[in-house]
Amino acid sequence: MVTPHIAAAPGDFAPDVLMPGDPRRARRIAETIIEDARLVTDVRGIEGYTGTYRGAPLSVLASGMGMPSVTIYATELFRFYGVRRIVRVGTAGGIPASVGLRDVVVATAAHTDSAMSSRRIDGVHLSHTASFGLAAAAVQAAGAGPHIHVGPVFTTDHFYLERPLLFEQLEAHGTLAVEMEAAGLYATAVAEGGHALAVLTVSDHVRHAEALTPGERESDFDRAVAIAADALITETIS
């Protein structure tokens, strides 16, 4: 089986998939936490690997940036490769002051300004929510602490657009961070009968000029990856 964007054979992907945005992060995950990882696809430089984690099958595939890209890869994984659960492990910009650099956000829901979901059901604004079992497992894996946050994020199509009033309003409604993929992943999972979650590392902040370097972004998301992988294993066992 070959799709327009994935060249893997049937059975090459595990039912559980970690999905970073950056292909280099996908390779890092394969090299650091997946045992006996083997390359199963590399179309357009988007590498996918499958191996095991704590004795259970686990795959990793990058999504690229934005809702259109994550929707393509998630659809093909769910629809053609038998994947049942996808956890996005990416970066996000913190919104309230209580969310700091390197903190982890378990995104239970994703607001969005994208029109993509409005095309799914005419006249309906979909609720983009994570799968409860995965979210509960991630919270359990993360444990309590000031650097773990659980709640909604904002998924946007715009990376550089300056909208300070918007972020003030989002913060007033309990939104923890801004990113570019979660809402698309959540909508796709529901449409394809799968399960999804986003576990995000805060790499910058919309309120003040501080951000992780590219090198720090590569290495400082390891805690979120471990939380996501543990959540997938827990949900699989249960």
Side-chain angles (χ1 to χ4, degrees):
M1 179 183 301
V2 176
T3 68
H5 308 91
I6 300 174
D12 274 348
F13 279 100
D16 295 330
V17 175
L18 294 172
M19 184 169 276
D22 187 347
R24 292 176 61 182
R25 291 190 190 133
R27 183 183 297 179
R28 177 180 172 82
I29 290 169
E31 293 172 345
T32 57
I33 76 161
I34 297 181
E35 297 180 2
D36 301 320
R38 61 185 179 90
L39 182 70
V40 297
T41 183
D42 60 357
V43 177
R44 300 189 181 193
I46 301 295
E47 297 177 352
Y49 297 86
T50 294
T52 61
Y53 175 75
R54 290 171 48 190
L58 182 65
S59 296
V60 58
L61 179 73
S63 70
M65 288 196 299
M67 286 179 61
S69 187
V70 74
T71 297
I72 288 171
Y73 286 106
T75 297
E76 293 184 5
L77 289 176
F78 284 133
R79 186 177 299 179
F80 301 110
Y81 286 99
V83 171
R84 303 314 320 141
R85 289 166 291 272
I86 297 175
V87 178
R88 162 167 154 69
V89 282
T91 55
I95 295 178
S98 59
V99 176
L101 290 187
R102 299 181 177 86
D103 286 3
V104 172
V105 175
V106 178
T108 54
H111 313 304
T112 186
D113 59 356
S114 173
M116 283 190 68
S117 290
S118 68
R119 302 291 184 260
R120 291 186 179 272
I121 304 175
D122 288 342
V124 174
H125 295 281
L126 292 180
S127 296
H128 304 93
T129 57
S131 299
F132 177 79
L134 282 174
V139 172
Q140 180 181 4
H147 302 295
I148 302 295
H149 309 272
V150 181
V153 298
F154 173 55
T155 301
T156 182
D157 288 336
H158 300 280
F159 188 85
Y160 287 110
L161 192 61
E162 297 290 337
R163 293 178 291 178
L165 179 59
L166 172 65
F167 289 122
E168 290 179 10
Q169 295 170 331
L170 286 168
E171 180 177 353
H173 286 79
T175 310
L176 298 172
V178 55
E179 53 87 69
M180 299 184 71
E181 290 83 26
L185 176 60
Y186 292 178
T188 302
V190 171
E192 297 296 329
H195 302 275
L197 175 67
V199 180
L200 307 167
T201 300
V202 177
S203 60
D204 57 276
H205 208 282
V206 302
R207 297 297 191 190
H208 36 81
E210 62 174 2
L212 301 181
T213 66
E216 289 171 333
R217 288 172 184 246
E218 288 291 325
S219 60
D220 287 352
F221 79 125
D222 290 350
R223 180 172 53 155
V225 172
I227 291 169
D230 286 344
L232 281 169
I233 297 304
T234 300
E235 182 68 359
T236 300
I237 294 172
S238 62

